[in-house]
Amino acid sequence: VPQNSYTTKSVGGFVDFKLADLWLAGLGVNWTVQTDTYVAADSTDNNFASQLQGFVALQYLIAGQLFIKGDVAYARAYFQPSDPSVPSWYNNMYTGRVRLLYLY
């Protein structure tokens, strides 16, 4: 079944940096693309999808017991169908959060 025969490629990773005794920063990214073997009757392109995700984080330790970590992230999804009568689809998402970890 051509729609269920995929070629997927993915790469990603993350790294943490110690900025000072109580400060830690992090950075990460993941990228994936997928192509199937289906080609619509009036097209020369295969179905194609991709996603990109990334984040940046900053963490601080208070009094040796409370970790405060903030991060912001971005994600993008894209789909290009083989059928030219079906529009391409894409979406972007931005997020942010603060996390607390108390060690007792």
Side-chain angles (χ1 to χ4, degrees), residues 2-11 30-38 45-52 76-82:
Q3 296 91 327
N4 295 333
S5 299
Y6 297 100
T7 299
T8 303
K9 298 175 184 174
S10 186
V11 64
N30 180 57
W31 179 64
T32 302
V33 296
Q34 185 176 62
T35 306
D36 66 25
T37 56
Y38 175 76
D45 297 324
N46 300 68
N47 286 333
F48 174 81
S50 69
Q51 78 167 21
L52 173 68
R76 180 188 71 206
Y78 175 72
F79 177 66
Q80 174 63 54
S82 176

Side-chain angles (χ1 to χ4, degrees), residues 34-72:
Q34 185 176 62
T35 306
D36 66 25
T37 56
Y38 175 76
V39 178
D42 53 350
S43 177
T44 59
D45 297 324
N46 300 68
N47 286 333
F48 174 81
S50 69
Q51 78 167 21
L52 173 68
Q53 298 177 337
F55 75 91
V56 176
L58 185 62
Q59 178 175 287
Y60 182 69
L61 176 61
I62 297 177
Q65 289 184 287
L66 178 63
F67 288 94
I68 300 174
K69 184 177 188 177
D71 64 47
V72 293

